[in-house]
Amino acid sequence: MEISSDDFSCLELTIAMPGFSSSPSPQSYGERMEEEYETQNPRKKLRLTKEQSRVLEESFRQNHSLNPKQKEGLAEQLKLKPRQVEVWFQNRRARSKLKQTELECEYLKKWFGSLSEQNRRLKKEVEELRGMNVRPPNISQQQPAATLTMCPRCERVATTFLDKGPATTTSTTPTKIIQPSAAC
DNA sequence: CTAGTTAAGTAGATTACGTCA
DNA sequence: CATGACGTAATCTACTTAACT
């Protein structure tokens, strides 16, 4: 997929290439751009066009990293330097990881809330039983307070949420807890 | 002016490959 | 020939910087 000159026009107010050195001819497009920006627009930052971003996103969706051939091809297609494509993928991976971490953090917060609520309920239950002076059932007959079903870190967080969800606070039956394993 | 976003720089680790004794 | 040590280049992650919105 080729991009039009219109798509690329916004680059005229962009590009920062600190540290890029000039190269002998024949120059690539990127090298020519570099030279132009160094002389005309120093200290300007590259802004990718919507079309460039779209193509990069599409490529990232298919694969989160590129082999050298793919990188070269994408760079040529988008009229960017291979290094710029490489940097975009590095940053994109980092953003992806950050988002995933934030999702996991949210999940763990909810899980913690669910456990706290369960703990509160169980403590209350113990108090009530003590008040009735009833012996706790034989340990071998005891229902587990929590049932280990699946490690959330092995599952997709969103799916785990929707399908299994944190425990509700109104349930009187032992709560099904999804407990992360140390192994992963 | 401030905060968020993002392209690019940097440091350090890892891996693959070629060379040489 | 096989092997281990070494140097180098490429690539990655993690963190940071700085331009821009």
Side-chain angles (χ1 to χ4, degrees):
Chain A
M1 153 116 206
E2 286 294 319
I3 59 175
S4 68
S5 55
D6 285 340
D7 288 327
F8 207 58
S9 60
C10 77
L11 269 178
E12 65 187 48
L13 39 93
T14 64
I15 228 164
M17 311 277 185
F20 282 161
S21 58
S22 57
S23 311
S25 55
Q27 290 175 309
S28 67
Y29 180 87
E31 286 165 342
R32 290 198 306 276
M33 297 297 282
E34 168 199 343
E35 196 170 271
E36 281 178 27
Y37 290 127
E38 274 183 353
T39 54
Q40 297 170 11
N41 262 325
R43 304 186 62 77
K44 288 288 180 180
K45 178 176 173 172
L46 166 70
R47 296 296 300 182
L48 298 172
T49 64
K50 282 183 180 170
E51 182 58 16
Q52 284 172 318
S53 294
R54 189 193 66 74
V55 173
L56 286 165
E57 283 290 348
E58 174 64 20
S59 181
F60 184 80
R61 202 177 57 77
Q62 290 168 10
N63 208 333
H64 285 202
S65 58
L66 296 172
N67 62 38
K69 211 162 191 175
Q70 290 172 317
K71 192 206 299 179
E72 197 71 41
L74 208 49
E76 192 174 344
Q77 177 188 344
L78 298 175
K79 312 242 182 322
L80 294 170
K81 289 177 152 191
R83 171 64 185 159
Q84 289 174 306
V85 172
E86 182 181 314
V87 164
W88 187 90
F89 267 77
Q90 285 170 4
N91 287 322
R92 186 64 181 78
R93 279 195 294 270
R95 284 194 288 273
S96 187
K97 186 174 182 180
L98 177 64
K99 198 169 182 178
Q100 183 69 17
T101 303
E102 284 169 353
L103 282 174
E104 285 184 21
C105 182
E106 277 307 303
Y107 173 79
L108 288 171
K109 276 184 193 166
K110 289 189 180 178
W111 188 53
F112 174 75
S114 160
L115 280 180
S116 298
E117 173 58 21
Q118 191 196 20
N119 189 33
R120 188 196 62 75
R121 227 165 359 85
L122 288 172
K123 278 180 175 169
K124 190 179 166 193
E125 201 175 318
V126 166
E127 284 306 310
E128 285 170 3
L129 289 172
R130 279 192 176 133
M132 293 164 64
N133 204 16
V134 175
R135 279 174 171 275
N138 187 312
I139 200 76
S140 63
Q141 298 166 350
Q142 247 181 335
Q143 281 283 81
T147 308
L148 184 67
T149 56
M150 187 183 297
C151 169
R153 297 190 66 183
C154 301
E155 284 284 303
R156 289 195 174 282
V157 173
T159 309
T160 305
F161 258 140
L162 291 173
D163 293 347
K164 314 263 179 198
T168 63
T169 56
T170 54
S171 167
T172 54
T173 55
T175 309
K176 204 169 215 179
I177 298 296
I178 306 167
Q179 184 173 6
S181 70
C184 62

